[in-house]
């Protein structure tokens, strides 16, 4: 009698690169811990470049050359939508919402949902976003645009 597999068959394809990075850096960190985050980023970038320059397991070229050769004609844009890409470039920050439901960021006020007044929330401020997203109790709110304060470039107020 055959048994059914209960795990995903392709799980190793995703986990293998993570394991490679972990194994390479574990031994490196045992001998010397990076002093700053920038130094750790540099180590990871160097590892990534060397790893991608290794020969492909099936093709007569490097891994990065194979990846570039198999890109869609439109480039990396087909890999994921612009909205999804922007979520990768968002960085969380904890803040408390004021009683007037405003959050002050770099001199600019953002007026958020009234239920969030006085609550500590997680802000998602993206590198490519012109809006602010707020998360509280595992629920996402937003997007919120600046309310008063400096006007972002290419935005205009009505007279």
């Amino acid at each position: 009698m055959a048994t059914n597999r209960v795990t995903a068959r392709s799980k190793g394809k995703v986990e293998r690169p993570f394991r490679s990075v972990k194994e390479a850096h574990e031994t490196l960190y045992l001998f010397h811990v990076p002093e700053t985050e920038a130094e750790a980023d540099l180590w990871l970038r160097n590892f990534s470049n060397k790893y991608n320059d290794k020969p492909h397991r099936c093709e007569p070229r490097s891994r990065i050359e194979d990846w570039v050769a198999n890109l869609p004609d439109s480039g990396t844009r087909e890999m994921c939508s612009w909205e999804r890409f922007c979520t990768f470039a968002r960085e969380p920050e904890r803040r408390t919402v004021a009683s007037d439901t405003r959050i002050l960021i770099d001199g600019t006020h953002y007026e958020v949902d009234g239920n969030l007044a006085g609550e500590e929330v997680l802000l998602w401020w993206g590198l490519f976003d012109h809006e602010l997203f707020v998360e509280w109790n595992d629920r996402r709110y937003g997007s919120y645009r600046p309310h008063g304060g400096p006007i972002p470039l290419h935005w205009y107020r009505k007279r």
Side-chain angles (χ1 to χ4, degrees):
M1 183 170 141
T3 59
N4 291 338
R5 293 183 72 130
V6 293
T7 60
R9 290 177 187 234
S10 64
K11 184 176 181 183
K13 292 177 185 176
V14 173
E15 297 299 326
R16 181 64 189 144
F18 294 140
R19 193 172 101 202
S20 297
V21 171
K22 179 181 177 277
E23 288 172 354
H25 282 90
E26 247 178 3
T27 55
L28 185 63
Y29 282 21
L30 287 175
F31 296 115
H32 176 69
V33 177
E35 294 178 11
T36 64
E37 188 177 339
E39 185 179 8
D41 287 344
L42 179 64
W43 290 1
L44 184 60
R45 188 177 313 116
N46 288 338
F47 170 80
S48 175
N49 290 338
K50 288 178 183 173
Y51 183 83
N52 288 331
D53 285 338
K54 289 182 180 179
H56 190 273
R57 61 189 163 108
C58 301
E59 301 293 328
R61 54 186 172 230
S62 71
R63 294 171 179 171
I64 192 69
E65 288 170 340
D66 187 63
W67 186 80
V68 170
N70 291 307
L71 273 176
D73 292 337
S74 64
T76 57
R77 292 286 180 154
E78 264 187 34
M79 295 175 74
C80 67
S81 68
W82 177 250
E83 291 77 25
R84 181 69 181 140
F85 178 74
C86 288
T87 63
F88 297 134
R90 289 189 183 126
E91 190 171 322
E93 180 183 343
R94 290 212 175 273
R95 292 274 182 102
T96 302
V97 179
S99 60
D100 63 353
T101 70
R102 289 186 181 185
I103 297 174
L104 181 65
I105 300 173
D106 296 330
T108 304
H109 289 276
Y110 292 84
E111 195 168 311
V112 299
D113 192 89
N115 297 332
L116 302 174
E119 300 292 345
E120 184 176 306
V121 297
L122 193 62
L123 304 180
W124 291 96
W125 184 252
L127 181 63
F128 304 110
D129 293 330
H130 296 288
E131 307 92 16
L132 175 72
F133 296 88
V134 177
E135 188 175 310
W136 180 65
N137 285 345
D138 297 326
R139 184 170 172 220
R140 187 162 288 188
Y141 297 83
S143 62
Y144 299 106
R145 296 193 178 277
H147 183 79
I151 302 170
L153 188 62
H154 305 299
W155 287 86
Y156 304 96
R157 289 189 180 142
K158 289 182 182 178
R159 292 202 180 271

